[in-house]
Amino acid sequence: MADDWFRSPLWTETARTDFESRLARARARNRAQYLRIKGLALADAGEIVAARALWQRVLTDKGEFAHLESAGALEHLGDSYAREDPIRAEHYYRRLLDEHPSLNGTTAMQHVKLAELLIRRRQAGDLQEAADLLTHWAGEGRVPFPGAHFRWNVAMMSLAEATGDRPTARDAARRALDLAGSGPVFSRHKDVGVVRADRHTMKKLRRIAN
């Protein structure tokens, strides 16, 4: 459909030409949004390099609403590098927290995501900063979804393991398991906010909970 041109996962030479042509004709205030959404479609299709390039363009866009879209673009960039290049992911998450402290236009999970990186790295000061980030999210976060609280508890469990706090690790694991068994938040949107965890994570949770 014509209205979905910026949601297409295609990125052939013809598709790129068509996208750029439509983007040039679009209202300037909407271009950053189209770039960000197109990047998501490409990332889902495995075109991660192209997706990152579009998200970078969001960050330099001068449109009326580009600043709002840049928050999401920074999160997408951080997420895309979290496993492949944690240092670069950390850069984008920190930039997001600095430039968009309200976290509007994001999942509002950046404190948890950054904490996860620091827990895995475990350099001097990392674990304390991770603890501060997780505490901040617990106190300030207003995310109602079980999936978000599940992720926080898994991060808290990992932090407690790293610091040798076995009781806290056990309690966090038990809370995460309880959340994993919760149902959908919205009856009409059953996939929104639900817990998604791989077999390895669930096995580890059960082991630590017991």
Side-chain angles (χ1 to χ4, degrees):
M1 295 177 61
D3 290 343
D4 293 330
W5 59 272
F6 55 91
R7 300 182 188 277
S8 168
L10 298 178
W11 203 237
T12 61
E13 183 175 350
T14 299
R16 290 196 298 271
T17 299
D18 180 68
F19 174 77
E20 295 295 350
S21 176
R22 291 175 180 271
L23 186 69
R25 297 196 303 269
R27 293 179 178 179
R29 65 182 184 180
N30 294 331
R31 289 172 189 163
Q33 180 186 38
Y34 296 155
L35 286 166
R36 187 184 65 78
I37 294 174
K38 178 68 173 180
L40 287 175
L42 294 180
D44 287 343
E47 296 279 1
I48 191 62
V49 174
R52 288 169 179 162
L54 295 186
W55 293 330
Q56 288 289 354
R57 288 169 63 181
V58 174
L59 302 184
T60 58
D61 192 276
K62 302 301 181 183
E64 182 181 356
F65 302 119
H67 182 71
L68 299 177
E69 295 297 330
S70 70
L74 285 168
E75 181 173 23
H76 302 331
L77 284 162
D79 292 348
S80 76
Y81 284 111
R83 290 291 178 183
E84 173 188 323
D85 190 344
I87 293 177
R88 188 170 294 187
E90 179 184 351
H91 162 77
Y92 287 117
Y93 290 148
R94 290 190 186 280
R95 180 176 169 185
L96 173 54
L97 291 171
D98 181 57
E99 296 180 9
H100 303 273
S102 71
L103 301 183
N104 289 338
T106 74
T107 63
M109 291 294 291
Q110 285 68 51
H111 294 85
V112 177
K113 292 177 180 180
L114 179 55
E116 290 170 342
L117 296 180
L118 297 173
I119 293 166
R120 289 201 296 269
R121 187 172 65 185
R122 299 191 190 186
Q123 293 183 1
D126 283 348
L127 295 182
Q128 182 57 58
E129 184 180 5
D132 293 342
L133 288 164
L134 293 175
T135 299
H136 176 90
W137 189 89
E140 301 295 330
R142 297 293 184 268
V143 186
F145 303 125
H149 291 272
F150 175 86
R151 187 167 182 172
W152 182 89
N153 276 289
V154 171
M156 182 59 73
M157 177 193 73
S158 298
L159 175 64
E161 274 194 303
T163 58
D165 186 348
R166 299 176 73 176
T168 296
R170 183 184 63 246
D171 291 345
R174 290 176 176 174
R175 289 193 302 268
L177 288 171
D178 287 342
L179 288 162
S182 60
V185 178
F186 305 112
S187 59
R188 295 186 179 181
H189 304 280
K190 295 185 177 181
D191 292 334
V192 175
V194 298
V195 173
R196 292 182 174 84
D198 57 36
R199 185 178 301 176
H200 172 75
T201 299
M202 294 301 295
K203 183 178 180 180
K204 184 175 182 179
L205 287 169
R206 294 188 187 99
R207 175 176 59 81
I208 293 176
N210 294 325

